[in-house]
Amino acid sequence: MDGVPVSAALRRLSEDPRFWSFLLVHDGAFPDPDPAELRVSLPVTGGYGLVLDLDLVTGEQTLGLREPASSEPVQLGWAAPGRPYPAALRWHELELCARVIALEDPTLPHPGLVVALLSPFAPLTADDDESAAAAVREAAYRSLRREVPPAAPAGPEQAPLPLFAADAWWPQPPAPSPRVIDEAAVAAYTAPAQSRLEVRGGSRFPADGLAELVRRAAQRLSRLPEEQWYAEVRPLARHIADTGDLRPVNDLLGVLTEAGCDHPTVLDALSEPIVPIEACWMVETLAGALPGSLLRRHV
């Protein structure tokens, strides 16, 4: 379970909007899947992690819990096209794990890929903040990006006469969007689930193992403000978390940069252009604040 969890195959698929349509709304068959089956290993901490097995032919998905010294994950929930997703995770458990995974894998901004993949397995309950959770899920789908080639020059091969030099004479072709999912799809994917399948009360559900994963993830997150560069910025992060004012985030970034912090996930979350969802989770983490306490002020 060590190493970067995002495989080349998953990264390639995640940049294809057809993959998300197939996975989340089961809109037809995924064309010529390669590979036909994919295992997504998401290490969290202390040998614990989450594993998502995807069958790109049938659309079946299996979410499992990896425990230390185990050869195979223990099933948390199974989903198939036309069936409700199992409520295998609570929302706070998913977001906590996503934060820790993002810290351990600098290629994954939070909320990002982990929330996008696993949020169907964490339907909201009456105890959840619906607005905050919806905002995180929307940001997760919007954060999916792909590289796009630069637009070919459409101007004249040589300088035109002044009368014909205006941009109207040489319109640029529309630039392709780097976003994988458009706004209409984001709205569809973040709509509340109509039904849910409760699995956590079953005798085979690994409740103790999941509770230990969550405990260790919370412990890992709580230790971050005391580490290396982060301890000296905790007072400023605490001030931002207490006031809810994100304007000093640039100051927070400056102090971290001057101290030599080079963690891409930390720096990206605090860099311009500021995405409130990403800035909030990092400020909360650096402040040692309750997850979601700052976020709720900005959604």
Side-chain angles (χ1 to χ4, degrees):
M1 291 288 285
D2 295 331
V4 177
V6 180
S7 67
L10 175 59
R11 190 168 296 283
R12 175 174 53 80
L13 287 169
S14 71
E15 295 176 355
D16 188 337
R18 298 173 301 173
F19 169 73
W20 295 102
S21 177
F22 171 76
L23 205 64
L24 299 173
V25 298
H26 310 298
D27 184 14
F30 190 68
D32 300 321
D34 180 25
E37 296 180 351
L38 181 65
R39 168 162 286 189
V40 182
S41 294
L42 299 167
V44 181
T45 187
Y48 285 85
L50 299 170
V51 178
L52 181 64
D53 286 312
L54 302 173
D55 188 320
L56 298 178
V57 176
T58 66
E60 295 180 2
Q61 303 175 50
T62 304
L63 179 64
L65 169 70
R66 177 87 76 183
E67 300 180 84
S70 63
S71 59
E72 281 294 314
V74 182
Q75 182 172 303
L76 291 168
W78 173 84
R83 293 172 57 93
Y85 274 91
L89 297 173
R90 297 294 182 246
W91 174 254
H92 72 90
E93 295 170 343
L94 170 58
E95 192 177 13
L96 174 63
C97 289
R99 292 184 181 211
V100 175
I101 291 168
L103 287 171
E104 300 300 340
D105 178 5
T107 70
L108 289 176
H110 179 80
L113 189 58
V114 178
V115 171
L117 281 170
L118 301 187
S119 61
F121 288 93
L124 300 186
T125 69
D127 297 328
D128 295 315
D129 185 323
E130 184 175 347
S131 297
V136 172
R137 292 177 66 190
E138 289 174 6
Y141 295 120
R142 290 192 184 108
S143 73
L144 300 172
R145 292 286 192 273
R146 59 192 168 194
E147 292 187 9
V148 296
E157 296 181 0
Q158 59 187 21
L161 296 173
L163 178 63
F164 304 105
D167 292 340
W169 289 98
W170 310 101
Q172 293 292 325
S177 171
R179 283 183 51 184
V180 175
I181 300 177
D182 61 26
E183 282 300 311
V186 168
Y189 299 161
T190 54
Q194 298 301 312
S195 60
R196 45 187 283 167
L197 179 64
E198 290 294 344
V199 295
R200 293 172 67 103
S203 59
R204 295 186 178 182
F205 188 83
D208 292 341
L210 180 58
E212 181 63 14
L213 177 148
V214 171
R215 185 190 72 79
R216 289 178 180 241
Q219 189 178 58
R220 170 68 184 91
L221 209 61
S222 68
R223 289 198 307 266
L224 186 75
E226 308 300 333
E227 295 177 2
Q228 203 171 0
W229 310 290
Y230 309 125
E232 59 185 275
V233 302
R234 185 169 187 174
L236 178 55
R238 186 79 245 183
H239 170 75
I240 297 173
D242 289 342
T243 62
D245 183 3
L246 292 179
R247 285 177 296 180
V249 161
N250 284 331
D251 298 333
L252 193 62
L253 176 65
V255 175
L256 284 169
T257 303
E258 290 177 8
C261 175
D262 58 357
H263 195 306
T265 299
V266 176
L267 300 181
D268 288 351
L270 304 174
S271 297
E272 297 285 353
I274 296 296
V275 179
I277 300 294
E278 296 184 16
C280 284
W281 90 267
M282 186 52 64
V283 170
E284 291 169 357
T285 301
L286 296 175
L290 184 68
S293 55
L294 175 61
L295 173 64
R296 282 191 287 271
R297 303 187 186 195
H298 293 272
V299 297

